[in-house]
Amino acid sequence: MLYYQLMTNIFHLLLVEDEPQTVQMIRFYLEREGFSMTTAADGPSGEAAFGRQTPQLVILDIMLPGFDGLELCRRIRQQSAVPILMLTARAEDTDKAIGLGIGADDYLTKPFSPTEFIARIKALLRRAYRYNEPPRPTTLGGPRLQIDPARRRATLDGRLLELTPIEFDLLNLLMANPGWAFTRSHLLEKVWGYSDEAGEETVTAHISNLRRKLGSNGAELIRTVRGVGYAYQEDA
Ligand code: CA
């Protein structure tokens, strides 16, 4: 099923991309790897975010409003040697961008697979920082509800919760992405590994079991986001 290798958020990444779906996908996979992220949707705000955040890696889409990813890459290169991965819409754009010699470290043509994307990111980090994926067990959650993905333990107010493997995976996915609303079909696909309209009832049933095990605060910890699905949220 799902096993997340979570690390502390040692690496902070900046993504400059204006397509919400690509942003959402990249965010999902990078956060699942334990990276923290800032996003910007156009050239100028990407440049501003770079100045504010000093990220350890930058992902730039070429086609951006304001000024494009090539220009942003040039500007960042004038002040920093940070690893830069460029995203391009077509293979010809990649060739063109390489030809311009603007100093990006790697290029990826859309559409790309999450596996390839993550592999490229890790390769860039390894080269630049001798990044070496330390499998550090980390506890996720807030003051009340906590989960230890490596040991597959969840506690509420210090009390161990008796969860089925599916309930654990479901909670793990939600808690690895606090505040992020997942649709039923997304949860079904990620936790159960298939998509099917009828299967969404299964998700509803498991969420309700999970909430029951979380007691009186169940519906507060796993919130219903109207018209979307469910999100884990715990106020610190
Ligand atoms: Ca774009």
Side-chain angles (χ1 to χ4, degrees):
M1 201 49 60
L2 276 192
Y3 295 101
Y4 294 128
Q5 192 180 37
L6 289 144
M7 298 162 276
T8 47
N9 290 337
I10 21 173
F11 286 103
H12 190 81
L13 280 54
L14 170 66
L15 167 65
V16 189
E17 163 66 284
D18 59 326
E19 293 159 31
Q21 279 181 320
T22 311
V23 171
Q24 190 177 341
M25 183 195 84
I26 290 180
R27 178 184 283 281
F28 175 78
Y29 287 104
L30 287 179
E31 290 187 345
R32 200 178 73 168
E33 294 293 325
F35 300 119
S36 74
M37 286 198 58
T38 298
T39 60
D42 57 62
S45 55
E47 187 178 29
F50 181 78
R52 267 197 319 272
Q53 307 276 345
T54 54
Q56 279 112 343
L57 185 140
V58 178
I59 303 152
L60 299 178
D61 186 41
I62 288 194
M63 300 288 284
L64 290 172
F67 50 80
D68 67 14
L70 298 170
E71 176 59 23
L72 183 52
C73 183
R74 271 190 214 101
R75 294 187 188 197
I76 290 173
R77 268 294 165 266
Q78 282 168 9
Q79 44 178 309
S80 166
V82 67
I84 298 177
L85 172 66
M86 301 281 311
L87 305 179
T88 64
R90 297 173 306 167
E92 304 93 85
D93 296 337
T94 303
D95 297 340
K96 212 173 94 192
I98 292 172
L100 290 172
I102 50 153
D105 298 277
D106 200 3
Y107 296 85
L108 201 51
T109 307
K110 294 174 178 176
F112 45 81
S113 77
T115 317
E116 186 179 10
F117 173 75
I118 293 295
R120 299 285 189 98
I121 295 289
K122 287 182 175 174
L124 287 172
L125 291 174
R126 265 197 301 275
R127 230 178 294 150
Y129 307 103
R130 302 177 184 281
Y131 163 70
N132 208 355
E133 287 187 67
R136 248 183 270 173
T138 308
T139 306
L140 293 176
R144 301 199 57 200
L145 182 59
Q146 291 179 349
I147 196 166
D148 180 342
R151 293 160 69 202
R152 293 184 67 82
R153 277 166 53 99
T155 57
L156 179 68
D157 298 327
R159 185 173 47 87
L160 188 67
L161 293 167
E162 303 262 349
L163 302 179
T164 65
I166 282 281
E167 286 166 357
F168 185 89
D169 288 334
L170 192 53
L171 190 61
N172 190 11
L173 178 61
L174 292 167
M175 290 182 70
N177 302 275
W180 187 262
F182 287 90
T183 61
R184 285 177 185 81
S185 67
H186 197 169
L187 291 171
L188 188 68
E189 198 185 312
K190 293 291 162 198
V191 177
W192 280 263
Y194 69 94
S195 50
D196 157 0
E197 223 162 275
E200 294 181 22
E201 296 297 317
T202 310
V203 177
T204 313
H206 279 82
I207 290 280
S208 121
N209 289 342
L210 200 47
R211 280 174 170 166
R212 202 164 42 242
K213 292 186 180 179
L214 297 175
S216 54
N217 297 104
E220 227 170 275
L221 293 164
I222 299 175
R223 294 182 190 177
T224 299
V225 181
R226 273 190 64 176
V228 186
Y230 305 102
Y232 159 75
Q233 188 77 61
E234 186 171 353
D235 301 318

